[in-house]
Amino acid sequence: MSTSLRRFLFLSLAGALGVGTQAGDLSRSFELRYVTADEKANGETDFKGKTSIFTTEQRLEFLHQYEKFAGKFFGDQNWDTRIVSDDDVRQTLRQLKPQPLPGVRRRLSLTNWKYLGSRPGQREEEIRSLAAWRALPGVKIERGELVLSGVEPGFEKTFAPQSWRFHLQWRVLSPAAGQQVTFDLDGVAKVGIDGKGHYFFRSGADEQRAGTCAAGQWHELKVEVDLETGRYNFLADGALLADFVPLVANHPVGKLTVRGPAGVRLDDLWGVGYTKAYDPDGDDHTRDVPFIIRTFLDEHFQARPDSADWASPAYDDRDWQPVPAWPYAHGGERQAGETLYLRTRIRVDQFERAELSGECLDPSGEIWINGRPVEVRHGRHPFALDVTPYLTPGVANLVAVRVDPFQVTRTMRHTPADLHTGWFAGRMHLDLTARRWIKDVFVTTESLAAGSAEMKVRALIRNDQVVFPEEREPKGENAFRGRVSVSFHPWFPNASPAAAAATFPIVVELGRDLAWEGNVTVDHPALWSPDSPQLYKVVVRLEDEKGAPIDDSVVTTGIRTVSQSGGTFRVNGQPAMMNGALIFGFRPPLERMAQWLRCPPEESLVREFLTLKRMNGNTVRMSHHDGPTGGVNDPRYAEIGDQLGVMFQWATPAWVRTDSPYLLDFEGLPLYLRQVRNHPSIVMWQPANHPKFAGGFEEGMTWFKKVHATIAAEDLSRLIAPTANIGRLGARNDDGTLDRNGQPVPPLSAWTAPMIVRGDMDNATGYGAEWTELRKHPFPSKWEGEQGWREKGYKTDYLASKERAYFDFESEESASQPNWTLHRGKPQYQVRSYEIDMDRTSIGRRLTVEEWRPSQAWQAMSGYEAYRKKRWLDYDGMVWCTLDGGGNTATYEKPLTDYYGFAKIAYYAVKMAFQPVLAGSKNVDVAYGPADKIPVAVLNLGPAGTVDVTVTVRNVQGAEVARKVFPSVNLPAGRTCTDLPALQFQLPGDGFHVFEYLVATSRPPSPPHP
């Protein structure tokens, strides 16, 4: 990493932390410690554990002081900062480049889709509902909208009574000046628009105005009601007008009454109710399903079109809706059971051959062209179909797609209460090619030398062109003799002419797929890395012997290598770390969580990746939870990650989270790999999380070998971690010579195969662990759990390996409650997740919802101490579980941000731990006694340098009480830990003190005054 870039990263951090910086400052961090004259504090003391000196209430005071100081240090005292704004997302989306198109073959992207969702009998239900509305005296229906009319304009609409929490929303065309419209929710909440163009709401006995409403325009109003607390929110066009105000009355709600002048128009009445679930043991939380989600009102005042003959060119689709974004996912309980129908038309000129390629039909479906069935797809595999006989040149051809609805039948931990995971068609394009064409291209970096890169280009080339079609008996040679031309063009962030090119002769016999490969040298390459994501466009052209183009294929990729030489994870030969977080895929808003799980809007992906990058992270672990199997293979992740500098531990839809490892889709795995393997952001294949191995290590190795062989046949340019939880295998030592019990065993080649890495889920402070576990890590006090999450002896062997890297794949360090004020009026408000009792063993008692601040302080403090220790233990990477709080239907407490992207204290603490240069104490001692000396270490990730390290001690009021400067400290290059002389301060009295560590570029001494 360059000095300028490192400085940029630090300044970004400093700005978020709210701390002052000077030119040359590289990092700033802090540790809270209790300083005492009590000799019991001598030695390494636990926060809670065998050597602790604190009572439970003293631990809570420790956390109170931590939260108080952290708020000032990080510049977020209310803990209500959303890390990435909507403007940040929009600006980033504008800067992303679309994938380049080929120049010889004609590629037509299938866009401008219309869609219809429909299930059997649904249209008839809507026709009956319309008849009921038309029978009401105070309304009429015009152009698919409800219009107040008659002598007494208005209506009452009853629905299933809501008795806990719910929201109701609708669109209204605001009335003219002097006219008022009111919306009364069964006397519990009352809102509306008055005659002066103001919104109003009733709170208790009072009526209040809030904001102005432009007359004659459509507005979306929403009321969020919480009968448990007796309060509600009122929003207009997304703006919060009434913030958790008292209800007018408090009883179950089963009716909406609307009154206003004739002519007021309404549309899209939508109500979603939530029914609280309870723990089987009678506690006030649940492990998996905190509440049930159910739509109780969904009125659009028009019946959807009949789906019969949906694939016919003669079918009238004028009333179908345009897809809001492509790809589009249908789903969620609101659309349960609805088949998704898609139609688009595309005009083609004369062509020899046409191929329709698609990312997937998820979970299954059909493809029709011009009223003829082309393919029935069973499963989520990518596809490329020869559709030559189905297309007609010179006219608009109809492409129609049906996607089957989906419902999770085998649920899994952390997944949404809504089981109707979204179903969708991935992006599709039509390629018009010659009958000699390039089927596949794969580009890898073979080696990097001084000033050049040796690139390996592989292509699969097909020849179906008959040279002598007039011969009744072929006597001539129908083989194709031509050449392959390859060129590398700098493409991102800036495009420029070709940097390298080469041409190779080839011969392809008729009816053959030729697996061709060739090497191209790129001089002075611009390398891809997370800190400098530079990309090339690689053009592979098929030409005849004279150089005339026949076909081409274009991919974008990065020149970069991934390795573990010396047992250290490396990018482009340089020591690196994979630091970041898991993504579960549970995104807001809650009513879209299941719909968007497998196919989110692009804005959601950009938001997640920016949140990660602003945390000094660089890695996303793909951990999309649905059932026990099934990840995602969405190429958009990699396309965006390529350009933003994100590294992926990639899962694919073949992924198995838990249950039998043989549920892994071995047929689909190689197809998924080929779909995305040109993307440099993917640095590791990880097709399983923590499956259960019934037969121990030997049975596990049968599966392990099969996974490795499947991946190695497709790609050996990336690391391979068949499972993230190596402990469940009952694993051997690193070189495979000793079993779990330390007994000699014969070697197994797959266990030490090239690119195989080690990794586990090292939760040193997680799941309610006492501080003793962190103090002793990686030597736990005991083996714990059937998953082997704390396994004695193995961690040090893996960490010391000179052959393989070792990663912490899932750091569920501890739980913390969100800032509950940011969730008021939402169904998850103050609903605790299964982590609720972890505080008992980590802190001393269960924390209440009013104690969310110390809850967050515990997570931040313990997470920072654990990550700092793992860095000096030389881990190759650490990923937190998870980035955001969408798990357990938006109640998951372990993540670094809440469900809506607001940072918890731990987000900043992990950001602090991920600084490339980091100074701090080299133990996890939380209380300093009179004889204690503080070991100090500087952790470096990057080039060598000379730095000054300043340790400043402050009291909790912020006043400086002591300081020590270590001048001109030489930091070796790479991933290094430099020990400094131990410190011992004589501090007054017993109390809390903050130890700040500042690392700055060494400055020459000031010249003496004359």
Side-chain angles (χ1 to χ4, degrees):
M1 183 186 304
S2 69
T3 302
S4 60
L5 182 58
R6 178 177 290 177
R7 174 157 173 74
F8 168 77
L9 288 173
F10 171 68
L11 290 177
S12 298
L13 172 71
L17 299 183
V19 297
T21 62
Q22 300 180 27
D25 287 355
L26 295 176
S27 77
R28 191 183 292 267
S29 57
F30 81 93
E31 300 166 19
L32 181 68
R33 296 293 185 258
Y34 186 74
V35 180
T36 177
D38 188 346
E39 293 184 354
K40 292 181 181 178
N42 289 336
E44 198 169 356
T45 51
D46 293 331
F47 184 75
K48 181 178 180 294
K50 295 180 180 179
T51 64
S52 177
I53 65 168
F54 297 144
T55 66
T56 296
E57 294 312 308
Q58 287 172 329
R59 280 188 284 272
L60 285 169
E61 178 60 21
F62 189 107
L63 298 177
H64 168 71
Q65 296 295 342
Y66 189 98
E67 183 271 331
K68 187 176 179 180
F69 183 83
K72 298 175 183 177
F73 189 83
F74 297 132
D76 191 3
Q77 290 177 275
N78 294 321
W79 309 115
D80 59 357
T81 298
R82 182 180 274 116
I83 299 302
V84 177
S85 70
D86 292 343
D87 285 342
D88 293 335
V89 173
R90 285 190 288 267
Q91 181 178 352
T92 301
L93 283 169
R94 287 194 296 267
Q95 294 172 347
L96 294 176
K97 285 187 173 183
Q99 295 299 294
L101 297 174
V104 180
R105 69 170 61 178
R106 287 172 288 165
R107 172 163 295 175
L108 306 174
S109 296
L110 271 61
T111 56
N112 300 318
W113 293 91
K114 289 184 174 183
Y115 80 97
L116 172 69
S118 182
R119 55 177 169 76
Q122 190 173 28
R123 173 178 165 81
E124 290 71 23
E125 293 171 6
E126 292 170 340
I127 291 173
R128 289 193 294 269
S129 177
L130 285 172
W133 280 105
R134 290 190 175 102
L136 296 178
V139 298
K140 62 181 178 180
I141 295 176
E142 291 180 351
R143 304 192 304 274
E145 298 162 1
L146 188 70
V147 185
L148 304 192
S149 64
V151 178
E152 295 183 7
F155 65 90
E156 289 185 356
K157 175 63 177 176
T158 59
F159 44 78
Q162 303 300 304
S163 58
W164 184 54
R165 292 171 179 167
F166 69 93
H167 75 254
L168 184 63
Q169 65 189 60
W170 60 92
R171 294 197 308 130
V172 57
L173 185 66
S174 54
Q179 296 180 326
Q180 176 169 301
V181 59
T182 62
F183 304 88
D184 186 340
L185 278 67
D186 217 350
V188 166
K190 186 176 182 179
V191 302
I193 304 170
D194 68 14
K196 296 183 179 180
H198 294 95
Y199 295 110
F200 69 87
F201 61 91
R202 186 173 292 278
S203 174
D206 300 325
E207 191 167 285
Q208 301 180 36
R209 267 62 183 165
T212 58
C213 173
Q217 296 183 14
W218 284 96
H219 300 278
E220 184 178 84
L221 306 188
K222 184 176 185 179
V223 177
E224 299 172 331
V225 177
D226 184 347
L227 295 171
E228 180 176 304
T229 63
R231 292 179 173 271
Y232 77 102
N233 298 332
F234 173 41
L235 302 91
D237 297 326
L240 184 62
L241 303 181
D243 185 3
F244 218 49
V245 298
L247 296 171
V248 179
N250 197 338
H251 56 74
V253 176
K255 180 175 63 176
L256 169 67
T257 302
V258 179
R259 299 297 177 201
V264 170
R265 307 181 79 90
L266 302 174
D267 203 357
D268 299 332
L269 271 68
W270 182 22
V272 182
Y274 307 93
T275 304
K276 189 174 183 179
Y278 292 89
D279 188 87
D281 298 326
D283 209 340
D284 59 350
H285 73 289
T286 62
R287 169 107 193 185
D288 294 307
V289 183
F291 42 80
I292 306 301
I293 304 171
R294 185 168 289 112
T295 294
F296 62 85
L297 183 63
D298 197 6
E299 298 283 354
H300 300 279
F301 309 109
Q302 57 186 341
R304 68 195 62 214
D306 191 345
S307 61
D309 297 325
W310 64 275
S312 169
Y315 178 90
D316 185 355
D317 61 12
R318 284 178 296 178
D319 290 334
W320 287 29
Q321 297 297 312
V323 294
W326 187 250
Y328 163 76
H330 207 61
E333 57 82 32
R334 184 189 187 190
Q335 297 165 341
E338 293 183 11
T339 297
L340 173 62
Y341 300 100
L342 298 157
R343 287 167 58 100
T344 190
R345 294 182 184 271
I346 189 165
R347 187 182 181 90
V348 296
D349 296 326
Q350 292 295 327
F351 60 90
E352 290 185 50
R353 178 183 171 278
E355 182 175 88
L356 179 66
S357 295
E359 292 171 347
C360 65
L361 292 188
D362 192 329
S364 56
E366 301 173 1
I367 299 171
W368 296 61
I369 293 179
N370 293 328
R372 299 168 61 193
V374 176
E375 178 95 341
V376 177
R377 304 291 301 170
H378 300 284
R380 296 169 166 136
H381 299 168
F383 58 88
L385 308 174
D386 188 338
V387 295
T388 306
Y390 297 90
L391 294 172
T392 303
V395 301
N397 292 265
L398 172 70
V399 180
V401 176
R402 192 201 76 185
V403 186
D404 298 321
F406 181 72
Q407 180 178 351
V408 177
T409 56
R410 297 183 63 214
T411 59
M412 188 180 66
R413 188 123 296 155
H414 312 315
T415 51
D418 185 345
L419 302 181
H420 302 277
T421 303
W423 44 101
F424 64 96
R427 295 176 298 181
M428 293 183 230
H429 63 260
L430 187 68
D431 278 348
L432 305 179
T433 73
R435 292 197 173 275
R436 297 160 179 159
W437 76 98
I438 301 168
K439 295 179 67 172
D440 182 49
V441 169
F442 181 30
V443 182
T444 57
T445 306
E446 292 294 287
S447 62
L448 297 174
S452 68
E454 189 73 10
M455 307 300 295
K456 175 77 71 178
V457 182
R458 300 174 178 88
L460 194 63
I461 302 169
R462 178 73 181 180
N463 176 19
D464 280 339
Q465 179 69 58
V466 178
V467 180
F468 305 104
E470 70 283 356
E471 294 185 353
R472 294 175 64 87
E473 178 182 350
K475 296 179 180 178
E477 184 184 280
N478 279 306
F480 168 68
R481 298 181 183 275
R483 62 191 196 181
V484 172
S485 172
V486 180
S487 56
F488 284 73
H489 307 254
W491 179 72
F492 181 87
N494 300 309
S496 61
T503 302
F504 308 85
I506 60 168
V507 178
V508 190
E509 295 180 68
L510 180 65
R512 182 188 182 195
D513 285 346
L514 172 67
W516 170 88
E517 63 179 45
N519 282 18
V520 179
T521 300
V522 180
D523 292 324
H524 310 295
L527 303 183
W528 187 96
S529 73
D531 298 327
S532 181
Q534 303 187 80
L535 300 169
Y536 284 81
K537 178 178 72 173
V538 183
V539 180
V540 180
R541 292 209 317 177
L542 182 63
E543 302 171 345
D544 66 17
E545 290 182 298
K546 297 180 179 180
I550 297 173
D551 187 32
D552 68 342
S553 180
V554 178
V555 300
T556 58
T557 193
I559 297 179
R560 66 106 181 91
T561 60
V562 174
S563 64
Q564 51 183 338
S565 175
T568 297
F569 170 61
R570 299 173 186 271
V571 175
N572 299 326
Q574 300 302 310
M577 296 187 74
M578 295 189 75
N579 293 333
L582 280 71
I583 287 180
F584 276 178
F586 307 141
R587 304 169 175 96
L590 193 64
E591 56 269 20
R592 304 287 187 188
M593 178 185 284
Q595 180 180 357
W596 289 348
L597 198 165
R598 300 180 58 79
C599 181
E602 204 163 81
E603 290 82 357
S604 295
L605 300 180
V606 168
R607 188 182 303 277
E608 289 166 349
F609 299 162
L610 289 180
T611 300
L612 184 90
K613 293 289 286 189
R614 292 181 179 183
M615 191 180 73
N616 287 329
N618 60 19
T619 299
V620 165
R621 179 165 174 249
M622 308 284 279
S623 188
H624 290 65
H625 284 35
D626 198 1
T629 62
V632 298
N633 213 58
D634 191 336
R636 295 178 302 160
Y637 285 67
E639 292 167 8
I640 297 170
D642 286 351
Q643 298 183 42
L644 295 187
V646 173
M647 295 189 291
F648 293 99
Q649 296 169 356
W650 197 271
T652 83
W655 189 68
V656 173
R657 178 182 183 264
T658 187
D659 210 330
S660 167
Y662 291 97
L663 294 175
L664 192 146
D665 177 9
F666 282 100
E667 178 186 354
L669 181 57
L671 304 177
Y672 296 131
L673 301 185
R674 287 175 221 155
Q675 186 180 26
V676 294
R677 63 184 177 178
N678 281 302
H679 293 287
S681 54
I682 301 174
V683 302
M684 181 187 295
W685 302 119
Q686 189 178 88
N689 195 56
H690 50 37
K692 300 178 185 294
F693 294 91
F697 183 79
E698 296 305 320
E699 174 59 28
M701 275 297 100
T702 302
W703 174 88
F704 197 97
K705 287 189 290 186
K706 188 173 182 179
V707 170
H708 174 261
T710 302
I711 294 176
E714 302 296 331
D715 176 27
L716 272 176
S717 69
R718 293 173 171 86
L719 303 178
I720 303 172
T723 175
N725 187 189
I726 210 170
R728 277 199 177 180
L729 280 169
R732 295 183 175 189
N733 65 343
D734 180 60
D735 64 14
T737 58
L738 300 175
D739 68 11
R740 179 174 183 164
N741 299 314
Q743 299 301 311
V745 288
L748 289 167
S749 59
W751 185 243
T752 55
M755 304 306 282
I756 285 286
V757 297
R758 306 285 184 243
D760 214 331
M761 301 175 180
D762 290 353
N763 306 293
T765 62
Y767 294 99
E770 289 193 337
W771 201 261
T772 307
E773 298 297 337
L774 175 62
R775 174 167 54 85
K776 291 186 174 184
H777 188 77
F779 299 101
S781 56
K782 61 181 179 179
W783 181 86
E784 180 176 329
E786 58 100 10
Q787 298 178 23
W789 284 358
R790 298 193 179 97
E791 184 73 38
K792 199 167 189 175
Y794 285 85
K795 299 293 188 292
T796 51
D797 180 49
Y798 297 149
L799 284 166
S801 173
K802 298 300 181 184
E803 303 294 331
R804 279 160 289 278
Y806 181 77
F807 297 90
D808 183 0
F809 283 129
E810 191 168 308
S811 303
E812 302 181 72
E813 292 298 342
S814 55
S816 74
Q817 302 174 49
N819 177 348
W820 291 116
T821 60
L822 303 172
H823 295 247
R824 296 188 304 189
K826 312 298 182 185
Q828 71 270 17
Y829 177 63
Q830 293 187 350
V831 175
R832 301 299 308 277
S833 184
Y834 75 91
E835 303 98 334
I836 189 169
D837 276 328
M838 293 181 188
D839 298 337
R840 292 185 190 274
T841 46
S842 290
I843 299 173
R845 67 169 173 82
R846 180 189 288 187
L847 301 186
T848 67
V849 290
E850 288 76 23
E851 294 174 311
W852 64 265
R853 288 176 181 266
S855 172
Q856 287 200 13
W858 158 248
Q859 182 190 48
M861 186 268 289
S862 62
Y864 176 72
E865 297 286 341
Y867 272 13
R868 195 178 76 256
K869 181 167 188 177
K870 289 175 183 177
R871 283 193 63 175
W872 83 62
L873 289 172
D874 204 29
Y875 275 67
D876 289 276
M878 303 168 287
V879 289
W880 193 278
C881 177
T882 66
L883 182 63
D884 65 72
N888 297 356
T889 316
T891 66
Y892 202 38
E893 295 187 2
K894 291 192 185 80
L896 300 170
T897 73
D898 75 357
Y899 181 47
Y900 303 109
F902 291 96
K904 296 182 184 178
I905 307 176
Y907 177 89
Y908 298 108
V910 169
K911 182 173 187 174
M912 191 163 65
F914 284 169
Q915 294 175 104
V917 179
L918 179 67
S921 62
K922 199 179 179 183
N923 62 22
V924 292
D925 188 5
V926 296
Y928 294 155
D932 275 339
K933 294 184 178 181
I934 306 170
V936 178
V938 185
L939 306 165
N940 184 37
L941 180 61
T946 304
V947 299
D948 297 332
V949 180
T950 302
V951 184
T952 303
V953 186
R954 303 182 187 277
N955 59 28
V956 290
Q957 289 75 36
E960 181 178 325
V961 296
R963 176 180 291 221
K964 171 65 177 179
V965 178
F966 297 94
S968 302
V969 176
N970 293 319
L971 299 183
R975 200 174 69 217
T976 60
C977 178
T978 301
D979 293 324
L980 302 181
L983 292 174
Q984 190 171 32
F985 294 106
Q986 298 298 320
L987 303 176
D990 289 3
F992 294 100
H993 287 80
V994 175
F995 291 73
E996 291 186 17
Y997 294 85
L998 172 67
V999 182
T1001 302
S1002 287
R1003 302 178 179 89
S1006 301
H1009 294 290

